[in-house]
Amino acid sequence: MKYNVIERGDDISKELTARFHALAAEQGMPRDEENPDIVLSIGGDGTMLQAFHNYVHRLDDIAFVGLHTGHLGFFADWKPHELDHLASLVFNVSTPEDLHIVQYPVVEIEITTENGVETHLALNEFTLRGIEVSLVARLHINDEMFEMFRGDGICISSPAGSTAYNKSLGGAMVHPSLEAIQVAEIASINNRVYRTLGSSMILPAHHHCDIYPKAHQNMLLSLDHKYMQRNDVVSIRCRVASHVKVKFARFRPFPFWNRVREAFVGLELK
């Protein structure tokens, strides 16, 4: 198997990366930055997002594994003092087919502009916000008009991303194995004149949400940690990606609800 490491750039992450490279060299495991079979993310969840987008066009061929060097790593199964143990487990796998894999759905965003159509994937979430003024947009669910939104913005999250920005918006936490997207409002305006649902919606894989912003509205769009300013958007279709999932290599059990408990409740079982 071939590997690569994406690290956060802090001293601890650099140290651990150098250690993993040394151990891999001892075991004769080749490093391949272009076509790895497994990618080790050393840092925080932002590092995993970077790794995802670095290899977004090769998701079918790559499995990710995370080691977190901060206080919270929702995508990470491993801690710094466990690096040698993780390395030994990785080196014991001969081929990618021998990896124990879990697959999670990701968000597909299809943006129609005045110049054509572009498609993007997000591991955590896609957001759109108004710049200088409130976002004004029509929301359609399965090609039917649902509501006229006015407010700061809209967040579309994957199940894996439901514990991130979506949670701070009051959205539900969704098990990452479920094929769904969640639509959450960002500070919507609700009064006698303007009215939206006011709560998040969870749409299954065979549904889609279309967003039609006001023409030539200046907006800030984000795909996880990547941002772009646009004023040429005609419509945005949001749905579960049907053709690809993200793969994580599991070398030991780490149930999702245990992660949630440790991250947000703070209880650790003895």
Side-chain angles (χ1 to χ4, degrees):
M1 280 207 314
K2 300 168 294 181
Y3 82 96
N4 192 29
V5 178
I6 304 295
E7 51 94 2
R8 182 164 56 185
D10 60 291
D11 290 342
I12 295 176
S13 299
K14 288 179 179 178
E15 262 180 51
L16 293 169
T17 298
R19 172 68 177 164
F20 190 88
H21 287 327
L23 292 171
E26 289 176 6
Q27 296 296 321
M29 185 176 188
R31 181 184 181 191
D32 188 332
E33 296 183 29
E34 296 297 323
N35 299 295
D37 300 305
I38 189 167
V39 172
L40 174 61
S41 166
I42 300 179
D45 282 347
T47 313
M48 181 62 79
L49 295 177
Q50 179 186 346
F52 172 85
H53 285 278
N54 281 1
Y55 295 103
V56 71
H57 300 298
R58 297 196 63 247
L59 295 181
D60 286 336
D61 307 313
I62 291 176
F64 299 91
V65 61
L67 184 151
H68 70 85
T69 55
H71 298 294
L72 178 63
F74 225 90
F75 287 118
D77 295 352
W78 301 87
K79 298 178 181 179
H81 69 275
E82 300 177 306
L83 176 68
D84 284 22
H85 180 40
L86 170 61
S88 67
L89 295 173
V90 172
F91 302 149
N92 281 334
V93 179
S94 301
T95 67
E97 291 74 25
D98 295 326
L99 287 169
H100 175 63
I101 297 293
V102 295
Q103 300 187 68
Y104 295 153
V106 297
V107 179
E108 179 181 289
I109 302 297
E110 185 180 276
I111 302 175
T112 299
T113 71
E114 297 167 355
N115 299 314
V117 178
E118 53 193 69
T119 302
H120 304 274
L121 298 177
L123 175 56
N124 262 357
E125 72 271 316
F126 165 79
T127 68
L128 65 158
R129 296 171 176 268
I131 297 177
E132 298 174 347
V133 297
S134 296
L135 175 72
V136 178
R138 284 184 292 117
L139 262 69
H140 289 216
I141 304 295
N142 296 338
D143 304 316
E144 294 284 343
M145 170 70 175
F146 185 79
E147 67 180 18
M148 177 66 79
F149 177 88
R150 287 172 175 83
D152 283 359
I154 299 169
C155 174
I156 311 292
S157 64
S158 71
S162 68
T163 58
Y165 187 33
N166 168 78
K167 181 180 181 296
S168 71
L169 297 172
M173 281 187 275
V174 180
H175 194 281
S177 65
L178 297 177
E179 296 194 8
I181 60 171
Q182 187 164 181
V183 183
E185 301 175 0
I186 306 172
S188 60
I189 297 172
N190 280 287
N191 52 34
R192 289 185 303 167
V193 180
Y194 304 132
R195 180 62 55 188
T196 63
L197 184 64
S199 66
S200 65
M201 297 180 289
I202 298 174
L203 306 182
H206 60 288
H207 287 197
H208 60 269
C209 172
D210 292 322
I211 303 170
Y212 296 89
K214 184 179 177 181
H216 302 292
Q217 183 169 194
N218 285 323
M219 297 183 299
L220 183 65
L221 310 183
S222 76
L223 291 153
D224 295 324
H225 64 302
K226 303 173 70 175
Y227 290 85
M228 51 187 167
Q229 187 172 330
R230 307 290 290 266
N231 64 1
D232 61 345
V233 175
V234 176
S235 66
I236 302 170
R237 174 159 291 191
C238 313
R239 58 191 169 197
V240 177
S242 61
H243 62 289
V244 67
K245 292 184 177 181
V246 62
K247 299 178 180 179
F248 292 100
R250 285 283 185 264
F251 294 97
R252 64 181 179 188
F254 199 163
F256 172 73
W257 298 115
N258 287 12
R259 297 172 191 262
V260 171
R261 184 189 64 239
E262 291 183 15
F264 300 113
V265 182
L267 297 177
E268 294 191 28
L269 298 182
K270 301 298 183 182

